[in-house]
Amino acid sequence: MPKALAQAALRTPKKVVKRASRHRGPVIAAIDLGSNSFHLAIATIENGEPVLVDKLREMLRFGSGLDRTRHIRPMAAKAALACLKRFAQRLALWQPGLVRAVGTNTLRQAVGAEGFLRKAEARLGVPVEVVSGVEEARLIYRGVSPGIAPGTRALVVDIGGGSTELIVGIDGHAEVLESVTLGCVTLTDQLFAGHLLTAARFDQAVAFARDRLMPVRDRLVAAHWQHAAGSSGTVRAVDAVSRELGLASGGLTAAVLAGLKDRVLAERHVDRLVLPGLATERAPVFAAGLAVLMALFEVLGITTLEVAKGALREGILRDLADRLSGSDVRSEAIMRLAARWPDPYGARVSGCVAALFEATAGPWGLSSEEGRLLEWAVQLHACGMAVNEQRYEHHSAYIVSHAELAGFAPREQALLAALIVRHRGRWTQPAVNALRKSFGESAVRLAVLARLAIALLRLEGSLGAGRQRVPWRVEARAHALEISAARPSGAVRAALVRELGPECADMQKGPIHLALRA
């Protein structure tokens, strides 16, 4: 057994080690760096669906780790990185093929978080993407929606440590996605920490939460949802305590919450709450979570809230399972964006990119995931023409980098924009160095392929070869690419020289030597 696996096995319960050694089929993992808790969820794929086989959770209250200038305090960073090291040991045991790690509101709010994110990536071995509030909401709904009855337009509520996500959807399709910077950790720090738990202070917290929620009220109410479901630890904790106290037997109602409020106020100290069914680690943020929940009932007119199965991490797992099955939400996002802008090459893009990628992937060490990014960049390279044909590549890159593209990590979106902006213009050493510094050596190779794909698409169009076999062939070596005419007619030779001659001249001194045999 390799040393890393042996160390992981020593720190893991024997039943988990045994389960990991026996597993068959693909393994995926989701990591949620929340403002209250960090979660690791590991799943195998059975019949296209993720099946949870292992999980870890540590309640760090990371949202309290920001100082007054919103920088991450050293002690908070140390605790978080130690947790991620433990997550990495468990990942080493299962060796998942796909891992997605997301940071939520605290990392969205943190100033200068880049250093922490680099260390987090080093601990985990995978990048941590700081997702937008809308993407967080989409993933939450993705995790919750399988438990909602078909044909039901439902409101999904998720009260996290630093933000509250609100989604309305039906049959797995999210129609309204909202994220409000309001959570049980941040509200505790603002209004409860160090204070007695009085009725006046609790009412102040409810009023504060109500004010934060009002800007999204009209859009959510107008969605005409029929059923309300709550995910996350806050809702589950409120439900568990309510049941233990005999206040609730079904879903949560305003009357149940009011009765629970009275019981909480009787405790008088936020950080010393002792209630049946309430975990000690959640007690300090329980009152704030209850205040947010009561505000939601008031603002949105909720009558009954059912506890939902699933949450953000389950949504991540479902997205990863879809990627393995070929049904990727990112492809849908690209298609929706592409439909709004001019598309000069249409279905020809896939064939051209596939031919180039097939020839180069092996010698250049490119992954299938990078091949998808290449195709998407070529597909969207001309969307900026709808803004202005002059320097359209810059407009295209701006549109792609600022669009809300479901499922995309910020780094993936930034790489798409970088490939688009570099698909034309001079191929200079500073441009190559900037790509390499930001995205690595493979990004340089993808940019070369994007330039060639678009040039060859123009060539095919000029020859009227759009519906025929492409009139070129390509051979790749580690640092070289040779293109030649498949049908060596005079017209093909002239077109190759016209389209690719300048590229060959530009790339003579670059990391990839481009040769043309026309």
Side-chain angles (χ1 to χ4, degrees), residues 392-448:
Y392 73 85
E393 68 274 19
H394 294 279
H395 301 304
S396 299
Y398 182 88
I399 289 168
V400 169
S401 62
H402 288 80
E404 189 68 51
L405 294 177
F408 276 91
R411 187 179 184 277
E412 291 174 334
Q413 210 160 328
L415 176 56
L416 280 182
L419 296 179
I420 288 170
V421 83
R422 290 259 52 91
H423 86 267
R424 69 193 295 245
R426 292 297 304 276
W427 182 253
T428 64
Q429 196 59 44
V432 171
N433 292 340
L435 267 175
R436 183 182 290 115
K437 182 178 179 181
S438 297
F439 303 103
E441 189 64 42
S442 63
V444 177
R445 299 173 185 270
L446 291 176
V448 170

Side-chain angles (χ1 to χ4, degrees), residues 153 168 176 216-225:
R153 180 168 282 102
V168 177
V176 179
V216 301
R217 176 189 179 278
D218 289 349
R219 188 170 180 229
L220 290 162
V221 170
H224 300 299
W225 45 270

Side-chain angles (χ1 to χ4, degrees), residues 92-249:
L93 196 65
W94 286 96
Q95 299 182 349
L98 283 177
V99 182
R100 188 179 183 189
V102 304
T104 56
N105 185 72
T106 295
L107 287 170
R108 287 197 291 268
Q109 301 297 320
V111 173
E114 294 80 9
F116 171 81
L117 291 171
R118 283 193 296 271
K119 292 176 182 177
E121 179 174 349
R123 293 290 191 285
L124 288 170
V126 295
V128 176
E129 49 181 287
V130 182
V131 295
S132 68
V134 171
E135 173 66 359
E136 183 181 354
R138 185 192 71 81
L139 288 168
I140 289 166
Y141 184 73
R142 186 80 178 89
V144 170
S145 59
I148 297 172
T152 302
R153 180 168 282 102
L155 166 70
V156 174
V157 171
D158 187 291
I159 302 169
S163 64
T164 294
E165 276 62 51
L166 303 157
I167 312 101
V168 177
I170 184 170
D171 292 334
H173 173 64
E175 298 175 338
V176 179
L177 296 157
E178 294 286 359
S179 179
V180 180
T181 306
L182 171 71
C184 61
V185 173
T186 51
L187 189 58
T188 297
D189 292 342
Q190 286 178 282
L191 293 177
F192 286 120
H195 295 283
L196 285 175
L197 186 51
T198 64
R201 186 163 296 278
F202 190 93
D203 290 345
Q204 181 186 4
V206 174
F208 180 89
R210 188 167 53 237
D211 288 345
R212 288 293 181 92
L213 293 166
M214 285 304 293
V216 301
R217 176 189 179 278
D218 289 349
R219 188 170 180 229
L220 290 162
V221 170
H224 300 299
W225 45 270
Q226 306 147 321
H227 172 79
S231 66
S232 82
T234 293
V235 172
R236 293 191 185 105
V238 168
D239 180 70
V241 174
S242 299
R243 289 175 182 273
E244 287 289 329
L245 290 172
L247 298 171
S249 57

Side-chain angles (χ1 to χ4, degrees), residues 29-42 54-60 83-84 87 100-102 124 232-233 236 282 311-314 316:
I31 300 169
D32 167 14
L33 280 63
S35 300
N36 195 32
S37 303
F38 282 13
H39 295 265
L40 167 66
I42 299 173
D54 196 7
K55 62 181 180 179
L56 288 175
R57 180 190 69 117
E58 295 194 18
M59 188 171 281
L60 301 177
C83 170
L84 295 183
F87 283 6
R100 188 179 183 189
V102 304
L124 288 170
S232 82
R236 293 191 185 105
R282 183 166 289 278
L312 173 64
R313 52 202 170 275
E314 284 80 12
I316 297 171

Side-chain angles (χ1 to χ4, degrees), residues 290-360:
L290 177 60
V292 175
L293 193 53
M294 293 184 77
L296 281 165
F297 267 68
E298 289 184 35
V299 171
L300 299 179
I302 299 171
T303 55
T304 303
L305 185 78
E306 303 291 342
V307 179
K309 294 181 180 179
L312 173 64
R313 52 202 170 275
E314 284 80 12
I316 297 171
L317 291 174
R318 289 188 174 279
D319 260 13
L320 294 178
D322 285 349
R323 291 186 191 185
L324 288 176
S325 69
S327 175
D328 192 339
V329 68
R330 295 175 301 170
S331 295
E332 297 171 14
I334 293 293
M335 289 174 59
R336 284 194 296 270
L337 184 61
R340 299 169 57 188
W341 311 101
D343 185 3
Y345 304 118
R348 290 166 48 203
V349 168
S350 293
C352 180
V353 171
L356 273 175
F357 189 76
E358 182 180 351
T360 56

